[in-house]
Amino acid sequence: MKPAGPLSLNTVTVKPLTLAQAIEACARHGIPGISPWRDVLQAMGVEAAAKHIRDAGLKVTGLCRGGMFTVGNRADALDDNRRAIAEAHAIGADCLVMVCGGLPQGSKDLPAARGIVRDGLQAILPEARAAGVTIALEPLHPMTCADRSVLSTLGQALDLCDELGAGTGVAVDVYHVWWDPDLARQMARAKGRIAGFHVCDWKVPTTDLVFDRGLPGEGVIDIPAIRAMAEAAGWAGGVEVEILSHHWWSQDPEAVIREVKARHAFC
């Protein structure tokens, strides 16, 4: 097995740390990439964060997240996504990851919700293209369809990319796609359109379907096999470790980062 691509640390993995602390930790541990979430970015201040990241010599593999088009008022959702595009541009992010939103409150109309997502993406794409920010559609596991994302498969995400055109791509998170029986075919179809590659693991048993992710190697996902599919499709970017886990958030962040580095090398 050849070495994995360059490591990128998603700030949610070290949730107790501020963004400034996460940037400094990446530099200290020789991790060349970082992917902040918008809450920690805004807490630090976008301009200050952009300077700190540049000064540390880090690559920004993504900004998480835009989307949520089905939540609340349409105008507010579009305004928030336009702010997210500006933030991604300011920090030089490779992409803006889209978690598109679940069913609107009180609705059971899944096709209509997917139409809202499509229309929202179409509305913000001109700003994204003008800013040079790739919109990375991240399909989420079907368990989140009602409350987080009506975009459930890589095939659906690629269909939207086909429809929307330039400036779109996909963020492949192994936690959300590993189960898909059509994954190999859809990964091949994604050639040249993979904007982000996220790794973690599915533990057995899983005690929480959102906040019990494992570090690579702790669970049942064949991460090297999916990584090989991504590479065959032309992906050559950073391996973004994204661990939403009450267990790992309770550990010493320095120990977590050391463990992430070790598992990146061997898992």
Side-chain angles (χ1 to χ4, degrees):
M1 178 66 67
K2 64 183 178 179
L7 179 61
S8 178
L9 188 69
N10 189 296
T11 57
V12 76
T13 302
V14 284
K15 189 176 181 180
L17 300 185
T18 66
L19 180 53
Q21 291 170 330
I23 293 167
E24 291 159 8
C26 283
R28 186 168 61 253
H29 286 273
I31 296 173
I34 193 167
S35 178
W37 280 52
R38 291 181 65 204
D39 57 342
V40 295
L41 177 67
Q42 292 165 358
M44 184 175 183
V46 177
E47 291 184 8
K51 183 179 186 304
H52 202 160
I53 290 168
R54 286 195 303 270
D55 290 347
L58 300 181
K59 180 178 181 62
V60 183
T61 55
L63 176 64
C64 193
R65 56 180 164 75
M68 292 296 172
F69 294 103
T70 60
V71 178
N73 179 277
R74 169 182 162 85
D76 290 344
L78 294 181
D79 285 345
D80 184 62
N81 276 278
R82 291 180 176 118
R83 285 191 295 272
I85 289 167
E87 292 164 4
H89 174 73
I91 63 173
D94 285 351
C95 64
L96 173 62
V97 175
M98 285 283 159
V99 175
C100 291
L103 288 169
Q105 187 173 8
S107 174
K108 297 182 180 181
D109 192 339
L110 188 54
R114 289 178 173 143
I116 292 169
V117 168
R118 181 194 61 243
D119 293 347
L121 290 166
Q122 205 161 41
I124 65 165
L125 259 174
E127 284 93 341
R129 289 169 180 151
V133 172
T134 297
I135 297 297
L137 307 181
E138 181 178 14
L140 300 193
H141 193 284
M143 66 187 177
T144 72
C145 190
D147 60 347
R148 291 177 65 209
S149 181
V150 296
L151 193 64
S152 301
T153 68
L154 186 56
Q156 287 177 305
L158 290 168
D159 287 347
L160 262 180
C161 289
D162 287 344
E163 182 177 352
L164 297 168
T168 60
V170 293
V172 176
D173 186 327
V174 299
Y175 191 79
H176 292 298
V177 303
W178 71 275
W179 59 273
D180 188 347
D182 200 32
L183 181 60
R185 187 173 73 89
Q186 296 299 335
M187 289 291 284
R189 182 183 164 203
K191 189 173 182 66
R193 295 189 284 184
I194 299 176
F197 185 70
H198 303 175
V199 299
C200 55
D201 220 332
W202 188 288
K203 293 161 59 179
V204 178
T206 290
T207 61
D208 188 294
L209 293 178
V210 177
F211 299 113
D212 192 35
R213 296 192 189 193
L215 292 178
E218 279 196 283
V220 298
I221 301 175
D222 190 346
I223 296 171
I226 302 175
R227 192 197 87 210
M229 294 177 197
E231 290 173 345
W235 168 81
V239 178
E240 187 174 312
V241 180
E242 183 182 46
I243 312 296
L244 287 82
S245 164
H246 291 305
H247 166 73
W248 286 109
W249 290 340
S250 70
Q251 307 303 306
D252 172 45
E254 289 289 315
V256 173
I257 292 171
R258 288 193 295 270
E259 189 68 18
V260 163
K261 287 184 66 178
R263 289 175 179 271
H264 171 255
F266 294 109
C267 298

